[in-house]
Amino acid sequence: SSQLMKWNGTGSTAHFQEIVLERCYNYTQLVQPALRDRDCQKIREAFRNAFISKDPCSATEEDYHPLMKLVNQTVPCDKTVFWSKTKKLAHQYTKVQREMFTLEDTLLGYIADDLSWCGDAGSHEMNYQSCPHWKKDCSNNFVSVFWGLLSKRFAANACGVVQVVLNGSISNAFDGKSTFGRVEVHNLNPMKVHTLQAWVIHDLGKFPSDSCSGSSINDLSWIMKQRNIKFTCQDNYSSVKFLQCVKKPEDSSCR
Ligand code: DN4
């Protein structure tokens, strides 16, 4: 049905509704039983109501407010981990450091991770053929607005010492145009966040392209100084480095 191929992005994930419900139960009953009283049926319904029967390029943060209200989760101080271009590694890190949280270790991030969703103004169905691509079609699509809002709230609620895992194998480990650089850094609350600790990690076997002494980290350091939040940076932090070495113990940098 070529008529439905109106957008350039991936269509809604098959079985979206079932996946949302299953992930919600898995998280609230098994991963974080502190949230066992959350109503997963209602969460699924609020998620669907946020975007169904709406123009997929006219998403607003308000569309997601009922969903955010239902979930209402806080992360303990000192446990927040941000990432940029290091998703896999950051998730491995929080999996080992069980009590640490990336956004995808919170209920809504966990539910939506790697999923795609959109509807259409004239229909009660999801569009499984295509959804707006954030660069090629529109930035105010429901997936981008969701992650933007979630990232903003995740950062605004952080407290104590917070961490960020950055990629030292690309030319700008800190990118002011990424969600971390554009949204999260600017929403940290200096009244609550004591220090931002950056870990710059190089891929094993790849030439390091950036480090704590490079200009992109210097930009980040300057922003934190302006924002009155202490900043520290460490290259190849061993707790993260060891995770890479588990997968490739023969690499010379693992000896
Ligand atoms: P990144 O590694 O540059 O991007 C992470 C993912 O988000 C990539 O797949 C990007 O797509 C996608 N992305 C970034 N900005 C947008 C946008 N405006 N609309 C749609 N997709 C977008 O890292 P980052 O710094 O941009 O984002 C990571 C940080 O933000 C983390 O600290 C998270 O807390 C939060 N976050 C998480 C997710 C997620 O779990 C998404 C966005 C933000 P592409 O550039 O590959 O096309 O998926």
Side-chain angles (χ1 to χ4, degrees):
S1 48
S2 61
Q3 203 199 338
L4 290 169
M5 292 294 279
K6 53 167 120 182
W7 308 112
N8 293 292
T10 324
S12 301
T13 308
H15 308 290
F16 177 85
Q17 302 288 332
E18 292 90 338
I19 294 171
V20 167
L21 196 60
E22 176 171 327
R23 285 184 175 180
C24 181
Y25 281 127
N26 191 36
Y27 189 92
T28 57
Q29 300 306 311
L30 301 173
V31 180
Q32 292 292 338
L35 272 68
R36 75 173 72 79
D37 63 334
R38 295 302 189 281
D39 188 334
C40 287
Q41 297 281 358
K42 275 195 176 157
I43 287 170
R44 175 184 61 169
E45 204 176 295
F47 201 157
R48 180 182 163 86
N49 287 340
F51 66 88
I52 217 76
S53 304
K54 294 180 187 173
D55 168 7
C57 276
S58 302
T60 64
E61 295 191 341
E62 286 68 37
D63 290 317
Y64 287 112
H65 284 170
L67 176 62
M68 301 288 148
K69 254 192 175 160
L70 274 180
V71 172
N72 182 41
Q73 178 178 16
T74 57
V75 170
C77 290
D78 305 328
K79 304 299 183 192
T80 297
V81 180
F82 301 106
W83 54 267
S84 199
K85 275 101 187 166
T86 53
K87 183 173 175 174
K88 259 199 186 150
L89 194 58
H91 287 170
Q92 286 168 9
Y93 176 57
T94 57
K95 206 161 187 178
V96 173
Q97 307 278 330
R98 281 250 62 151
E99 74 289 8
M100 306 289 289
F101 292 80
T102 62
L103 180 53
E104 298 73 39
D105 297 304
T106 67
L107 177 55
L108 282 176
Y110 183 91
I111 287 176
D113 194 19
D114 291 333
L115 300 185
S116 176
W117 62 91
C118 68
D120 200 35
S123 155
H124 291 292
E125 305 296 314
M126 294 182 67
N127 186 346
Y128 294 101
Q129 257 61 52
S130 67
C131 288
H133 185 276
W134 66 288
K135 287 174 190 154
K136 296 177 194 155
D137 296 309
C138 56
S139 57
N140 52 338
N141 67 78
F142 279 92
V143 174
S144 293
V145 169
F146 175 87
W147 287 113
L149 176 59
L150 226 57
S151 301
K152 190 164 94 177
R153 291 169 57 109
F154 184 58
N157 290 326
C159 48
V161 177
V162 303
Q163 307 179 32
V164 61
V165 183
L166 297 173
N167 190 337
S169 293
I170 55 176
S171 49
N172 290 307
F174 173 69
D175 172 5
K177 295 189 293 299
S178 67
T179 304
F180 173 68
R182 204 170 32 86
V183 179
E184 291 173 328
V185 158
H186 300 282
N187 279 281
L188 294 172
N189 181 348
M191 306 286 276
K192 296 196 300 179
V193 175
H194 176 267
T195 304
L196 173 66
Q197 288 181 329
W199 315 118
V200 178
I201 312 295
H202 304 124
D203 294 341
L204 297 179
K206 270 200 202 161
F207 191 76
S209 306
D210 204 355
S211 70
C212 288
S213 50
S215 70
S216 84
I217 295 296
N218 194 49
D219 292 347
L220 176 57
S221 166
W222 187 84
I223 294 170
M224 298 323 289
K225 197 176 175 139
Q226 302 302 303
R227 304 217 57 226
N228 253 312
I229 296 171
K230 192 178 160 203
F231 178 75
T232 68
C233 185
Q234 192 178 321
D235 289 305
N236 290 322
Y237 174 51
S238 60
S239 302
V240 179
K241 189 78 194 168
F242 288 146
L243 297 170
Q244 297 174 305
C245 290
V246 169
K247 287 208 165 159
K248 208 183 168 197
E250 71 280 7
D251 192 276
S252 61
S253 66
C254 295
R255 285 198 214 110

